[in-house]
Amino acid sequence: MSIAVKHLTKTYGHQKALNNISFSIKEGEIVGFLGPNGAGKSTTMKIATCYLPSTSGSIQVCGMDVSEFPLEVRHQIGYLPEHNPLYLDMYVHEYLNFIGRVHRINRKELRSSVEKVVEMFGLTKEQNKLIGALSKGYRQRVGLAQALIHDPKVLILDEPTTGLDPNQITEIRSLIKDVSQEKTVLFSTHIMQEVQALCQRVIIIDNGSIVADKTVDQLKNVSGEFGAYQTIKVSFENRVTKDQLNEIDGVFEVKEGPGGSFLLLAPEKNKIRAEIFHYAVEQNWTMIEMTEESDSLEQIFKNLTGKGGQGD
């Protein structure tokens, strides 16, 4: 495993930021780490990157315990914190050379390492500029470049697209996707489109506890597990009312949908589509559409984390 978290707990006084969480990430996976503000995402990442000690439990990175081998672990990890701490009065190439020396890259390899990440993240024209003169999007590129300059096996990114405009978000997503072909990537985000665009798997944390650990496709199908309802979208050529549809056996609720359609909610185990079809035949209605609607990731996230978080 590239990352193995076992029974990890972190407390601050009487507040429990992480409550006995466990998960693992295989080599080459790209995993989204989701949760509301204060759920425990950043705390987990700071422990994994050796910036914060745990209260109990352990994290191993590339087979090494972060508390026992912090220097060795840091050599295997590229880390971009949420607030991207850059030296704004340094030039881009100067900063990347400095970070390379911090990672003890020898002089023969350092120049090629800097050239590689500068080209990879589209910083060629900006490398002789002060970091403080760059846009937010280019500063994020510099942050990603410093995280990869020592060629780590694991990349940990804490909300890498926060504060970017839509074009910059698309650019950073593309860069992360390119990098993920050769690295294990764990990144936190609040943006569901980002999860769908990048992730193979999603871990959701709330109140310091893991509430879901599934592939993206599996997560889309948890509405029955957590919400206990299925949603069927129907439309007819005939004039149909909500009250009429509410008479169908097994329908729990009827909502108006787009374009004159209706959304029928029913318990997950009910064979509601057969009931809808038979009722429409009895009423001599001509059905145009009947499809099962899956919950959006946003709605699933809301269902799973409805109580909100407490730790950071």
Side-chain angles (χ1 to χ4, degrees), residues 22-234:
S22 298
F23 63 87
S24 59
I25 301 176
K26 297 178 182 178
E27 183 177 349
E29 275 193 293
I30 178 165
V31 176
F33 196 34
L34 280 68
N37 289 331
K41 305 184 301 296
S42 293
T43 297
T44 305
M45 290 181 160
K46 288 175 182 176
I47 296 173
T49 51
C50 312
Y51 286 92
L52 192 67
S54 64
T55 301
S56 62
S58 66
I59 298 183
Q60 291 187 344
V61 176
C62 299
M64 297 176 289
D65 191 289
V66 299
S67 62
E68 295 181 19
F69 305 98
L71 292 179
E72 291 84 350
V73 167
R74 285 172 176 166
H75 184 69
Q76 300 298 331
I77 287 178
Y79 178 41
L80 178 61
E82 180 180 0
H83 298 296
N84 194 6
L86 301 171
Y87 292 110
L88 302 184
D89 58 347
M90 295 181 74
Y91 295 96
V92 172
H93 70 85
E94 178 187 15
Y95 173 72
L96 293 175
N97 272 282
F98 166 70
I99 295 298
R101 292 196 299 272
V102 169
H103 284 292
R104 298 182 179 179
I105 301 174
N106 65 56
R107 291 189 176 185
K108 291 183 179 179
E109 296 179 357
L110 181 55
R111 182 174 179 178
S112 62
S113 296
V114 171
E115 290 176 351
K116 180 179 178 180
V117 295
V118 162
E119 182 178 356
M120 181 185 300
F121 293 105
L123 293 167
T124 302
K125 294 181 179 179
E126 280 70 31
Q127 63 179 316
N128 294 315
K129 294 181 181 178
L130 287 172
I131 294 174
L134 300 178
S135 68
K136 180 71 182 294
Y138 274 106
R139 290 186 192 183
Q140 288 299 91
R141 289 171 181 250
V142 174
L144 287 168
Q146 66 80 27
L148 282 166
I149 194 166
H150 57 298
D151 194 26
K153 294 180 179 179
V154 177
L155 192 59
I156 295 180
L157 312 174
D158 197 353
E159 301 196 25
T161 60
T162 297
L164 301 182
D165 66 37
N167 290 332
Q168 293 169 337
I169 289 174
T170 300
E171 291 171 359
I172 296 300
R173 279 186 203 163
S174 178
L175 292 171
I176 293 172
K177 194 167 187 177
D178 290 344
V179 168
S180 69
Q181 297 177 14
E182 300 177 354
K183 311 288 181 187
T184 301
V185 180
L186 174 67
F187 76 95
S188 68
T189 182
H190 292 289
I191 305 172
M192 297 300 111
Q193 295 95 326
E194 213 154 76
V195 173
Q196 291 180 291
L198 294 174
C199 293
Q200 301 162 341
R201 183 171 141 226
V202 179
I203 298 171
I204 300 179
I205 185 171
D206 185 39
N207 254 347
S209 299
I210 302 295
V211 295
D213 182 352
K214 299 177 180 291
T215 67
V216 173
D217 288 338
Q218 288 172 338
L219 191 63
K220 290 178 181 178
N221 294 320
V222 301
S223 57
E225 180 179 347
F226 295 98
Y229 293 102
Q230 57 183 318
T231 302
I232 306 298
K233 181 182 177 184
V234 295

